[in-house]
Amino acid sequence: MSPLLQMRGIVRRFGDLCANDNIDLDVQPGEILGLLGENGSGKSTLMKVLFGMLRADSGSIAFKGKLLDGHTPAEAMAAGIAMIHQHFMLIDAMTVTENVMLGWPEAGRVLRTKEISSRVREASKRFGLYLDPDAQVGALPLGRRQRVEILKAILRNAELLILDEPTSNLAPAEVADLLVILRRLRAERKGIVFITHKLPEVLDVCDNVVVLRLGRVVGRAPVAGASRGQLAEMMIGRDVSAPREVDAAKPPGQARLALRDFSAPGLLPLTFEVRAGEILGVAGVDGNGQFELVESLSGLLPARGGVLELDGRDITRSTVAARMNLGLAYMPADRGQKALVKGMSIAENVMLRDSRRPPYARGPLLTPARAAAKTRALMADYDIRARGPDSIVARLSGGNQQKIVVARELDRGPAVLIAHQAAWGLDPGATRFVLDRMIALRDRGAAIVYVSSELEEVLAISDRVAVMAGGGFAGVMPRSALDMRQIGLWMAGRAA
């Protein structure tokens, strides 16, 4: 059987950095290939070369027996290759249907909006995506925006789908639905390249894996018979997949973050405290108020009522800047829109909070040398892989972008940290590193609200676990009394 895709000797450099070093990759018809590797290992770069977003310095690509050379993304799509990006290629101000029609010849020179809208509705229902064709994309949660990208590929009848971390923002039930879709596509002889850090998904749906490390292929294996630990060891050289026992925290101190009947748009009144030396993990199916909770705590979403206090001070109506000055830090889930300025350098992003403060500024003037030195230290400490502090953030992998956010916020030593999907896009080793750093911050007396759709992460890090459902807390329980059955019922919106 001839491969659907053959990549041979692919080399791609960025200055002195060799992101892809003589890579060979095959995908067969009807195969789901897992592409694994640490953050910055070259996975996304390789796929951007395949999709025509980047040009290889050397090597060849053959798709369905035809050579692709110097092709554009439009030519890749016309050939039957679709790429679902980790960072969405959507226009927020447009509807779902309008985004689907972009660059699609079948939409017609005179746009057939009603016809395409009908096709969007039918395909969305058939594949369990449940998208409203008339919904504005910018108003959709991250998980539903990802579904729009999936729908675009499905409607274009792609023969090879590249999925770059497609489940990062999906709730468990949505992930299960996506895997069903992938199996359907495999049954129709479609080829799929599945980039993910979530090893259970690899074991569940992939046929084979290729592992990259520092831009080189370091392993190839069938998934059948492989274990999660073996895959993790192939990726990073050690097994970090085993459940981790978190050391018991010291008895928590005084309340650092306190809510009393606090409410916001989309958020029911909440009353709870997070004390010094405590991590409150917030679990739940995405879309049940987690976004509204973190945005209102950070000050980006106005409060409707109640009281919010930080170290005894009322910050209910305080600005974002005032909250940060009092010691609150926020890691939003949407790093590309809210946490980073992607057109700026790593150093500039690291200094966003401190650009007017000594020693990084003297009066109105910046001191670039000190900012660069600080950035180099953080890059080494957090394993941010780039040429140097002046590297543009947009050119880094999603995992390395996330590490910049984590490094900047944790380095400040905040009194209260609000973290939403803090390990999004990170490989298992980097995820473990971030969780360990947050536990260390807790042990220094910080209060942390850790919100994630990954229940495993929440359970691994939390002293208490809260479950959100319907815009409020369905229940809260201490780590010492974890009841997985009860957590499951709460997540389903049931009391018992």
Side-chain angles (χ1 to χ4, degrees), residues 142-205:
L142 293 176
R144 290 188 180 269
R145 294 185 210 180
Q146 180 72 71
R147 296 188 202 182
V148 179
E149 295 280 27
I150 295 168
L151 184 64
K152 286 167 59 178
I154 290 171
L155 290 175
R156 283 164 169 75
N157 298 313
E159 295 183 62
L160 176 68
L161 279 78
I162 307 163
L163 294 99
D164 191 358
E165 299 285 354
T167 64
S168 294
N169 295 301
L170 302 184
E174 295 172 318
V175 172
D177 291 341
L178 173 61
L179 299 188
V180 169
I181 294 169
L182 298 186
R183 293 187 187 99
R184 288 180 187 169
L185 293 170
R186 175 172 59 190
E188 295 175 9
R189 307 295 293 163
K190 306 294 187 184
I192 299 169
V193 180
F194 189 72
I195 305 174
T196 184
H197 294 121
K198 300 179 181 179
L199 299 182
E201 295 172 6
V202 174
L203 295 170
D204 192 4
V205 77

Short mmCIF file of all heavy atoms in Angstrom, two decimals, residues 142-205:
data_model
loop_
_atom_site.label_atom_id
_atom_site.label_comp_id
_atom_site.label_asym_id
_atom_site.label_seq_id
_atom_site.Cartn_x
_atom_site.Cartn_y
_atom_site.Cartn_z
N LEU A 142 -13.85 28.83 24.29
CA LEU A 142 -12.73 28.29 23.53
C LEU A 142 -13.03 26.92 22.94
O LEU A 142 -12.65 26.62 21.80
CB LEU A 142 -11.49 28.22 24.42
CG LEU A 142 -10.91 29.56 24.87
CD1 LEU A 142 -9.75 29.32 25.82
CD2 LEU A 142 -10.46 30.39 23.68
N GLY A 143 -13.71 26.07 23.71
CA GLY A 143 -13.99 24.73 23.23
C GLY A 143 -14.85 24.74 21.98
O GLY A 143 -14.63 23.95 21.06
N ARG A 144 -15.82 25.61 21.91
CA ARG A 144 -16.69 25.67 20.73
C ARG A 144 -15.99 26.32 19.55
O ARG A 144 -16.27 26.00 18.39
CB ARG A 144 -17.99 26.39 21.08
CG ARG A 144 -18.87 25.55 22.01
CD ARG A 144 -20.24 26.17 22.21
NE ARG A 144 -21.02 25.33 23.10
CZ ARG A 144 -21.83 24.35 22.70
NH1 ARG A 144 -21.96 24.09 21.41
NH2 ARG A 144 -22.51 23.63 23.57
N ARG A 145 -15.07 27.23 19.80
CA ARG A 145 -14.29 27.78 18.69
C ARG A 145 -13.48 26.68 18.02
O ARG A 145 -13.32 26.64 16.80
CB ARG A 145 -13.36 28.89 19.18
CG ARG A 145 -14.09 30.11 19.71
CD ARG A 145 -13.10 31.21 20.07
NE ARG A 145 -13.61 32.03 21.15
CZ ARG A 145 -12.97 33.06 21.66
NH1 ARG A 145 -11.78 33.39 21.19
NH2 ARG A 145 -13.48 33.76 22.66
N GLN A 146 -12.94 25.77 18.84
CA GLN A 146 -12.18 24.65 18.28
C GLN A 146 -13.06 23.80 17.38
O GLN A 146 -12.64 23.32 16.34
CB GLN A 146 -11.62 23.79 19.41
CG GLN A 146 -10.81 22.60 18.92
CD GLN A 146 -9.47 23.01 18.35
OE1 GLN A 146 -8.59 23.41 19.06
NE2 GLN A 146 -9.32 22.90 17.05
N ARG A 147 -14.33 23.64 17.76
CA ARG A 147 -15.24 22.83 16.96
C ARG A 147 -15.48 23.45 15.58
O ARG A 147 -15.72 22.74 14.61
CB ARG A 147 -16.58 22.68 17.68
CG ARG A 147 -16.50 21.93 19.00
CD ARG A 147 -17.91 21.67 19.50
NE ARG A 147 -17.93 21.43 20.94
CZ ARG A 147 -19.04 21.15 21.61
NH1 ARG A 147 -20.20 21.11 20.97
NH2 ARG A 147 -19.00 20.94 22.91
N VAL A 148 -15.44 24.79 15.52
CA VAL A 148 -15.61 25.45 14.22
C VAL A 148 -14.48 25.04 13.28
O VAL A 148 -14.70 24.76 12.09
CB VAL A 148 -15.65 26.98 14.38
CG1 VAL A 148 -15.79 27.65 13.02
CG2 VAL A 148 -16.81 27.40 15.29
N GLU A 149 -13.25 24.96 13.81
CA GLU A 149 -12.12 24.53 13.00
C GLU A 149 -12.31 23.09 12.53
O GLU A 149 -12.02 22.76 11.37
CB GLU A 149 -10.83 24.65 13.80
CG GLU A 149 -10.43 26.06 14.19
CD GLU A 149 -9.75 26.80 13.05
OE1 GLU A 149 -10.01 26.48 11.87
OE2 GLU A 149 -8.95 27.71 13.34
N ILE A 150 -12.78 22.24 13.41
CA ILE A 150 -13.02 20.85 13.04
C ILE A 150 -14.07 20.76 11.94
O ILE A 150 -13.93 20.02 10.97
CB ILE A 150 -13.45 20.04 14.29
CG1 ILE A 150 -12.30 19.99 15.30
CG2 ILE A 150 -13.89 18.63 13.91
CD1 ILE A 150 -12.71 19.48 16.66
N LEU A 151 -15.12 21.54 12.11
CA LEU A 151 -16.21 21.53 11.12
C LEU A 151 -15.72 22.00 9.75
O LEU A 151 -16.11 21.45 8.71
CB LEU A 151 -17.34 22.43 11.61
CG LEU A 151 -18.61 22.46 10.75
CD1 LEU A 151 -19.27 21.10 10.73
CD2 LEU A 151 -19.58 23.51 11.28
N LYS A 152 -14.87 23.01 9.72
CA LYS A 152 -14.33 23.49 8.45
C LYS A 152 -13.61 22.37 7.70
O LYS A 152 -13.77 22.21 6.49
CB LYS A 152 -13.37 24.66 8.70
CG LYS A 152 -14.04 25.96 9.08
CD LYS A 152 -13.07 26.99 9.62
CE LYS A 152 -11.98 27.35 8.64
NZ LYS A 152 -11.07 28.39 9.20
N ALA A 153 -12.80 21.59 8.43
CA ALA A 153 -12.08 20.49 7.78
C ALA A 153 -13.02 19.42 7.28
O ALA A 153 -12.86 18.88 6.18
CB ALA A 153 -11.07 19.90 8.77
N ILE A 154 -14.03 19.10 8.08
CA ILE A 154 -14.98 18.06 7.69
C ILE A 154 -15.71 18.45 6.42
O ILE A 154 -15.84 17.66 5.48
CB ILE A 154 -15.99 17.81 8.84
CG1 ILE A 154 -15.29 17.12 10.01
CG2 ILE A 154 -17.17 16.96 8.36
CD1 ILE A 154 -16.15 17.02 11.25
N LEU A 155 -16.20 19.69 6.35
CA LEU A 155 -16.97 20.13 5.19
C LEU A 155 -16.12 20.23 3.92
O LEU A 155 -16.64 20.14 2.81
CB LEU A 155 -17.63 21.48 5.48
CG LEU A 155 -18.78 21.44 6.50
CD1 LEU A 155 -19.28 22.85 6.79
CD2 LEU A 155 -19.93 20.58 5.98
N ARG A 156 -14.82 20.40 4.08
CA ARG A 156 -13.95 20.49 2.91
C ARG A 156 -13.48 19.12 2.43
O ARG A 156 -12.67 19.04 1.50
CB ARG A 156 -12.73 21.38 3.24
CG ARG A 156 -13.07 22.88 3.23
CD ARG A 156 -12.00 23.70 3.92
NE ARG A 156 -12.15 25.13 3.71
CZ ARG A 156 -13.05 25.90 4.30
NH1 ARG A 156 -13.90 25.36 5.15
NH2 ARG A 156 -13.12 27.19 4.05
N ASN A 157 -13.98 18.05 3.04
CA ASN A 157 -13.65 16.68 2.62
C ASN A 157 -12.15 16.43 2.57
O ASN A 157 -11.62 15.85 1.61
CB ASN A 157 -14.28 16.37 1.26
CG ASN A 157 -15.79 16.43 1.29
OD1 ASN A 157 -16.42 15.88 2.19
ND2 ASN A 157 -16.38 17.12 0.32
N ALA A 158 -11.45 16.87 3.58
CA ALA A 158 -10.00 16.68 3.63
C ALA A 158 -9.67 15.19 3.69
O ALA A 158 -10.35 14.41 4.36
CB ALA A 158 -9.42 17.38 4.85
N GLU A 159 -8.61 14.79 2.99
CA GLU A 159 -8.15 13.40 3.01
C GLU A 159 -7.06 13.19 4.06
O GLU A 159 -6.80 12.06 4.46
CB GLU A 159 -7.64 13.00 1.63
CG GLU A 159 -8.74 12.98 0.58
CD GLU A 159 -8.23 12.51 -0.77
OE1 GLU A 159 -7.78 11.35 -0.86
OE2 GLU A 159 -8.27 13.31 -1.72
N LEU A 160 -6.39 14.27 4.45
CA LEU A 160 -5.41 14.22 5.54
C LEU A 160 -5.71 15.37 6.48
O LEU A 160 -5.73 16.53 6.07
CB LEU A 160 -3.99 14.33 5.00
CG LEU A 160 -2.89 14.38 6.08
CD1 LEU A 160 -2.78 13.03 6.79
CD2 LEU A 160 -1.54 14.77 5.48
N LEU A 161 -5.96 15.05 7.74
CA LEU A 161 -6.23 16.07 8.75
C LEU A 161 -5.06 16.16 9.71
O LEU A 161 -4.60 15.13 10.23
CB LEU A 161 -7.50 15.75 9.55
CG LEU A 161 -8.84 16.10 8.91
CD1 LEU A 161 -9.21 15.06 7.86
CD2 LEU A 161 -9.93 16.16 9.96
N ILE A 162 -4.58 17.37 9.94
CA ILE A 162 -3.54 17.63 10.94
C ILE A 162 -4.23 18.30 12.11
O ILE A 162 -4.78 19.39 11.97
CB ILE A 162 -2.44 18.55 10.38
CG1 ILE A 162 -1.89 18.01 9.06
CG2 ILE A 162 -1.34 18.75 11.40
CD1 ILE A 162 -1.11 19.05 8.26
N LEU A 163 -4.20 17.67 13.27
CA LEU A 163 -4.86 18.23 14.45
C LEU A 163 -3.79 18.56 15.48
O LEU A 163 -3.16 17.67 16.05
CB LEU A 163 -5.87 17.23 15.03
CG LEU A 163 -7.07 16.94 14.12
CD1 LEU A 163 -6.85 15.63 13.37
CD2 LEU A 163 -8.34 16.83 14.94
N ASP A 164 -3.58 19.86 15.71
CA ASP A 164 -2.55 20.33 16.62
C ASP A 164 -3.18 20.64 17.98
O ASP A 164 -3.83 21.68 18.15
CB ASP A 164 -1.88 21.58 16.04
CG ASP A 164 -0.61 21.97 16.80
OD1 ASP A 164 -0.29 21.30 17.81
OD2 ASP A 164 0.04 22.93 16.39
N GLU A 165 -3.02 19.74 18.94
CA GLU A 165 -3.60 19.88 20.28
C GLU A 165 -5.09 20.21 20.20
O GLU A 165 -5.57 21.18 20.80
CB GLU A 165 -2.87 20.97 21.07
CG GLU A 165 -1.40 20.70 21.30
CD GLU A 165 -1.15 19.63 22.36
OE1 GLU A 165 -2.12 19.18 23.00
OE2 GLU A 165 0.01 19.26 22.54
N PRO A 166 -5.89 19.38 19.49
CA PRO A 166 -7.29 19.77 19.27
C PRO A 166 -8.18 19.62 20.49
O PRO A 166 -9.28 20.16 20.52
CB PRO A 166 -7.74 18.78 18.18
CG PRO A 166 -6.91 17.57 18.43
CD PRO A 166 -5.56 18.09 18.87
N THR A 167 -7.73 18.91 21.53
CA THR A 167 -8.59 18.67 22.68
C THR A 167 -8.23 19.55 23.87
O THR A 167 -8.77 19.36 24.96
CB THR A 167 -8.54 17.20 23.10
OG1 THR A 167 -7.20 16.88 23.54
CG2 THR A 167 -8.90 16.28 21.95
N SER A 168 -7.32 20.50 23.69
CA SER A 168 -6.84 21.29 24.82
C SER A 168 -7.95 22.01 25.56
O SER A 168 -7.88 22.20 26.77
CB SER A 168 -5.80 22.32 24.35
OG SER A 168 -4.65 21.68 23.87
N ASN A 169 -9.00 22.42 24.83
CA ASN A 169 -10.06 23.21 25.46
C ASN A 169 -11.39 22.48 25.50
O ASN A 169 -12.43 23.09 25.72
CB ASN A 169 -10.23 24.52 24.70
CG ASN A 169 -9.01 25.40 24.82
OD1 ASN A 169 -8.61 25.76 25.91
ND2 ASN A 169 -8.39 25.71 23.71
N LEU A 170 -11.37 21.17 25.29
CA LEU A 170 -12.60 20.41 25.28
C LEU A 170 -12.84 19.73 26.62
O LEU A 170 -11.91 19.25 27.25
CB LEU A 170 -12.58 19.36 24.17
CG LEU A 170 -12.37 19.87 22.74
CD1 LEU A 170 -12.47 18.71 21.75
CD2 LEU A 170 -13.39 20.94 22.38
N ALA A 171 -14.09 19.70 27.02
CA ALA A 171 -14.47 18.96 28.21
C ALA A 171 -14.38 17.47 27.92
O ALA A 171 -14.37 17.05 26.75
CB ALA A 171 -15.89 19.34 28.62
N PRO A 172 -14.32 16.62 28.96
CA PRO A 172 -14.18 15.19 28.73
C PRO A 172 -15.21 14.60 27.77
O PRO A 172 -14.86 13.78 26.90
CB PRO A 172 -14.32 14.60 30.14
CG PRO A 172 -13.80 15.68 31.03
CD PRO A 172 -14.23 16.97 30.39
N ALA A 173 -16.47 15.01 27.90
CA ALA A 173 -17.49 14.48 27.00
C ALA A 173 -17.23 14.92 25.56
O ALA A 173 -17.45 14.16 24.60
CB ALA A 173 -18.87 14.93 27.45
N GLU A 174 -16.74 16.16 25.39
CA GLU A 174 -16.43 16.66 24.05
C GLU A 174 -15.23 15.93 23.46
O GLU A 174 -15.19 15.65 22.26
CB GLU A 174 -16.15 18.16 24.11
CG GLU A 174 -17.36 19.00 24.51
CD GLU A 174 -17.01 20.46 24.74
OE1 GLU A 174 -15.96 20.73 25.34
OE2 GLU A 174 -17.78 21.32 24.30
N VAL A 175 -14.26 15.60 24.29
CA VAL A 175 -13.12 14.83 23.83
C VAL A 175 -13.58 13.47 23.32
O VAL A 175 -13.15 13.00 22.25
CB VAL A 175 -12.07 14.66 24.95
CG1 VAL A 175 -10.97 13.69 24.51
CG2 VAL A 175 -11.47 16.01 25.32
N ALA A 176 -14.44 12.83 24.08
CA ALA A 176 -14.95 11.52 23.67
C ALA A 176 -15.67 11.62 22.33
O ALA A 176 -15.51 10.75 21.45
CB ALA A 176 -15.89 10.96 24.74
N ASP A 177 -16.45 12.70 22.14
CA ASP A 177 -17.14 12.90 20.86
C ASP A 177 -16.15 13.08 19.73
O ASP A 177 -16.33 12.55 18.62
CB ASP A 177 -18.06 14.12 20.94
CG ASP A 177 -19.26 13.89 21.86
OD1 ASP A 177 -19.58 12.72 22.13
OD2 ASP A 177 -19.85 14.89 22.30
N LEU A 178 -15.08 13.86 19.98
CA LEU A 178 -14.07 14.07 18.95
C LEU A 178 -13.40 12.76 18.55
O LEU A 178 -13.18 12.50 17.37
CB LEU A 178 -13.03 15.07 19.43
CG LEU A 178 -11.83 15.27 18.51
CD1 LEU A 178 -12.26 15.80 17.15
CD2 LEU A 178 -10.79 16.17 19.13
N LEU A 179 -13.07 11.93 19.52
CA LEU A 179 -12.42 10.67 19.21
C LEU A 179 -13.34 9.77 18.38
O LEU A 179 -12.87 9.02 17.51
CB LEU A 179 -11.99 9.96 20.50
CG LEU A 179 -10.98 10.73 21.37
CD1 LEU A 179 -10.48 9.86 22.51
CD2 LEU A 179 -9.80 11.25 20.55
N VAL A 180 -14.64 9.85 18.63
CA VAL A 180 -15.59 9.11 17.79
C VAL A 180 -15.52 9.61 16.35
O VAL A 180 -15.53 8.82 15.40
CB VAL A 180 -17.02 9.25 18.36
CG1 VAL A 180 -18.05 8.72 17.36
CG2 VAL A 180 -17.15 8.51 19.68
N ILE A 181 -15.44 10.94 16.19
CA ILE A 181 -15.34 11.53 14.85
C ILE A 181 -14.08 11.03 14.16
O ILE A 181 -14.09 10.67 12.98
CB ILE A 181 -15.33 13.06 14.94
CG1 ILE A 181 -16.67 13.58 15.44
CG2 ILE A 181 -14.99 13.69 13.59
CD1 ILE A 181 -16.67 15.04 15.80
N LEU A 182 -12.95 11.01 14.88
CA LEU A 182 -11.69 10.57 14.28
C LEU A 182 -11.78 9.11 13.84
O LEU A 182 -11.25 8.74 12.78
CB LEU A 182 -10.55 10.75 15.27
CG LEU A 182 -10.26 12.19 15.72
CD1 LEU A 182 -9.01 12.23 16.58
CD2 LEU A 182 -10.13 13.12 14.54
N ARG A 183 -12.44 8.29 14.63
CA ARG A 183 -12.59 6.89 14.23
C ARG A 183 -13.45 6.76 12.98
O ARG A 183 -13.19 5.92 12.11
CB ARG A 183 -13.20 6.08 15.38
CG ARG A 183 -12.27 5.97 16.60
CD ARG A 183 -12.83 5.01 17.64
NE ARG A 183 -12.02 5.04 18.85
CZ ARG A 183 -12.31 5.72 19.94
NH1 ARG A 183 -13.42 6.46 19.98
NH2 ARG A 183 -11.51 5.69 21.00
N ARG A 184 -14.48 7.61 12.86
CA ARG A 184 -15.30 7.60 11.64
C ARG A 184 -14.46 7.99 10.43
O ARG A 184 -14.57 7.39 9.35
CB ARG A 184 -16.46 8.59 11.79
CG ARG A 184 -17.55 8.15 12.75
CD ARG A 184 -18.62 9.23 12.80
NE ARG A 184 -19.61 8.96 13.82
CZ ARG A 184 -20.53 9.85 14.21
NH1 ARG A 184 -20.55 11.05 13.65
NH2 ARG A 184 -21.41 9.54 15.14
N LEU A 185 -13.65 9.01 10.60
CA LEU A 185 -12.80 9.45 9.49
C LEU A 185 -11.79 8.37 9.12
O LEU A 185 -11.50 8.16 7.93
CB LEU A 185 -12.09 10.75 9.87
CG LEU A 185 -13.00 11.96 10.06
CD1 LEU A 185 -12.22 13.12 10.67
CD2 LEU A 185 -13.66 12.37 8.76
N ARG A 186 -11.25 7.69 10.10
CA ARG A 186 -10.32 6.59 9.82
C ARG A 186 -11.03 5.48 9.04
O ARG A 186 -10.46 4.92 8.10
CB ARG A 186 -9.74 6.04 11.12
CG ARG A 186 -8.85 4.82 10.93
CD ARG A 186 -8.15 4.42 12.21
NE ARG A 186 -9.10 4.12 13.27
CZ ARG A 186 -8.76 3.93 14.54
NH1 ARG A 186 -7.49 4.04 14.91
NH2 ARG A 186 -9.68 3.66 15.45
N ALA A 187 -12.26 5.18 9.42
CA ALA A 187 -13.02 4.14 8.71
C ALA A 187 -13.28 4.52 7.26
O ALA A 187 -13.45 3.64 6.40
CB ALA A 187 -14.34 3.89 9.43
N GLU A 188 -13.28 5.84 6.98
CA GLU A 188 -13.46 6.31 5.61
C GLU A 188 -12.13 6.47 4.87
O GLU A 188 -12.05 7.14 3.84
CB GLU A 188 -14.22 7.63 5.62
CG GLU A 188 -15.65 7.49 6.16
CD GLU A 188 -16.36 8.83 6.27
OE1 GLU A 188 -15.81 9.83 5.77
OE2 GLU A 188 -17.46 8.87 6.84
N ARG A 189 -11.06 5.91 5.45
CA ARG A 189 -9.73 5.88 4.84
C ARG A 189 -9.05 7.25 4.85
O ARG A 189 -8.15 7.51 4.04
CB ARG A 189 -9.76 5.33 3.41
CG ARG A 189 -10.44 3.99 3.28
CD ARG A 189 -9.70 2.90 4.01
NE ARG A 189 -8.40 2.63 3.39
CZ ARG A 189 -7.41 1.97 3.99
NH1 ARG A 189 -7.57 1.55 5.24
NH2 ARG A 189 -6.28 1.74 3.36
N LYS A 190 -9.46 8.11 5.75
CA LYS A 190 -8.76 9.38 5.91
C LYS A 190 -7.50 9.16 6.73
O LYS A 190 -7.45 8.32 7.64
CB LYS A 190 -9.64 10.41 6.62
CG LYS A 190 -11.01 10.62 5.99
CD LYS A 190 -10.94 11.25 4.62
CE LYS A 190 -12.33 11.60 4.13
NZ LYS A 190 -12.31 12.13 2.74
N GLY A 191 -6.45 9.92 6.44
CA GLY A 191 -5.25 9.93 7.26
C GLY A 191 -5.31 11.07 8.26
O GLY A 191 -5.82 12.14 7.93
N ILE A 192 -4.82 10.82 9.46
CA ILE A 192 -4.89 11.83 10.52
C ILE A 192 -3.56 11.89 11.24
O ILE A 192 -3.00 10.86 11.64
CB ILE A 192 -6.01 11.51 11.53
CG1 ILE A 192 -7.37 11.50 10.84
CG2 ILE A 192 -6.01 12.51 12.69
CD1 ILE A 192 -8.49 10.94 11.68
N VAL A 193 -3.03 13.11 11.41
CA VAL A 193 -1.87 13.35 12.28
C VAL A 193 -2.40 14.03 13.53
O VAL A 193 -2.96 15.13 13.46
CB VAL A 193 -0.81 14.22 11.59
CG1 VAL A 193 0.38 14.44 12.54
CG2 VAL A 193 -0.32 13.57 10.30
N PHE A 194 -2.23 13.37 14.67
CA PHE A 194 -2.84 13.80 15.92
C PHE A 194 -1.73 14.23 16.87
O PHE A 194 -1.00 13.40 17.42
CB PHE A 194 -3.63 12.62 16.49
CG PHE A 194 -4.48 12.95 17.68
CD1 PHE A 194 -5.63 13.70 17.54
CD2 PHE A 194 -4.15 12.48 18.94
CE1 PHE A 194 -6.44 13.98 18.64
CE2 PHE A 194 -4.94 12.75 20.04
CZ PHE A 194 -6.09 13.50 19.89
N ILE A 195 -1.57 15.56 17.04
CA ILE A 195 -0.55 16.10 17.94
C ILE A 195 -1.21 16.36 19.29
O ILE A 195 -2.18 17.10 19.39
CB ILE A 195 0.02 17.42 17.40
CG1 ILE A 195 0.57 17.23 15.97
CG2 ILE A 195 1.13 17.94 18.31
CD1 ILE A 195 1.02 18.53 15.32
N THR A 196 -0.68 15.74 20.32
CA THR A 196 -1.26 15.92 21.64
C THR A 196 -0.22 15.60 22.70
O THR A 196 0.75 14.88 22.44
CB THR A 196 -2.50 15.04 21.83
OG1 THR A 196 -3.09 15.32 23.11
CG2 THR A 196 -2.16 13.57 21.76
N HIS A 197 -0.44 16.15 23.91
CA HIS A 197 0.36 15.76 25.07
C HIS A 197 -0.42 14.82 25.98
O HIS A 197 0.11 14.38 26.99
CB HIS A 197 0.78 17.01 25.87
CG HIS A 197 1.70 17.91 25.11
ND1 HIS A 197 1.39 19.22 24.84
CD2 HIS A 197 2.90 17.68 24.57
CE1 HIS A 197 2.38 19.77 24.16
NE2 HIS A 197 3.31 18.87 23.98
N LYS A 198 -1.66 14.55 25.63
CA LYS A 198 -2.53 13.75 26.48
C LYS A 198 -2.40 12.28 26.10
O LYS A 198 -3.03 11.79 25.16
CB LYS A 198 -3.97 14.24 26.37
CG LYS A 198 -4.12 15.71 26.80
CD LYS A 198 -5.54 16.19 26.66
CE LYS A 198 -5.66 17.66 27.07
NZ LYS A 198 -7.05 18.15 26.93
N LEU A 199 -1.55 11.58 26.82
CA LEU A 199 -1.21 10.22 26.46
C LEU A 199 -2.39 9.26 26.51
O LEU A 199 -2.45 8.34 25.68
CB LEU A 199 -0.07 9.73 27.35
CG LEU A 199 1.23 10.55 27.24
CD1 LEU A 199 2.31 9.97 28.12
CD2 LEU A 199 1.70 10.63 25.79
N PRO A 200 -3.36 9.40 27.41
CA PRO A 200 -4.51 8.50 27.34
C PRO A 200 -5.26 8.59 26.01
O PRO A 200 -5.77 7.58 25.51
CB PRO A 200 -5.40 8.97 28.51
CG PRO A 200 -4.44 9.55 29.48
CD PRO A 200 -3.39 10.22 28.64
N GLU A 201 -5.32 9.79 25.41
CA GLU A 201 -5.96 9.94 24.10
C GLU A 201 -5.18 9.20 23.02
O GLU A 201 -5.76 8.57 22.12
CB GLU A 201 -6.08 11.41 23.74
CG GLU A 201 -6.99 12.20 24.67
CD GLU A 201 -6.95 13.68 24.39
OE1 GLU A 201 -6.30 14.09 23.41
OE2 GLU A 201 -7.55 14.44 25.18
N VAL A 202 -3.85 9.27 23.10
CA VAL A 202 -3.01 8.55 22.15
C VAL A 202 -3.29 7.05 22.23
O VAL A 202 -3.48 6.38 21.21
CB VAL A 202 -1.52 8.83 22.42
CG1 VAL A 202 -0.63 7.97 21.54
CG2 VAL A 202 -1.21 10.30 22.20
N LEU A 203 -3.32 6.54 23.44
CA LEU A 203 -3.55 5.11 23.63
C LEU A 203 -4.96 4.71 23.19
O LEU A 203 -5.19 3.58 22.74
CB LEU A 203 -3.36 4.73 25.10
CG LEU A 203 -1.93 4.89 25.64
CD1 LEU A 203 -1.91 4.72 27.15
CD2 LEU A 203 -0.99 3.88 24.98
N ASP A 204 -5.89 5.64 23.27
CA ASP A 204 -7.27 5.35 22.95
C ASP A 204 -7.53 5.33 21.45
O ASP A 204 -8.29 4.48 20.96
CB ASP A 204 -8.17 6.40 23.62
CG ASP A 204 -9.65 6.03 23.58
OD1 ASP A 204 -9.98 4.93 23.09
OD2 ASP A 204 -10.48 6.82 24.04
N VAL A 205 -6.89 6.24 20.69
CA VAL A 205 -7.34 6.43 19.31
C VAL A 205 -6.26 6.24 18.25
O VAL A 205 -6.57 5.99 17.09
CB VAL A 205 -7.97 7.84 19.16
CG1 VAL A 205 -6.90 8.91 19.08
CG2 VAL A 205 -8.92 7.90 17.98
#
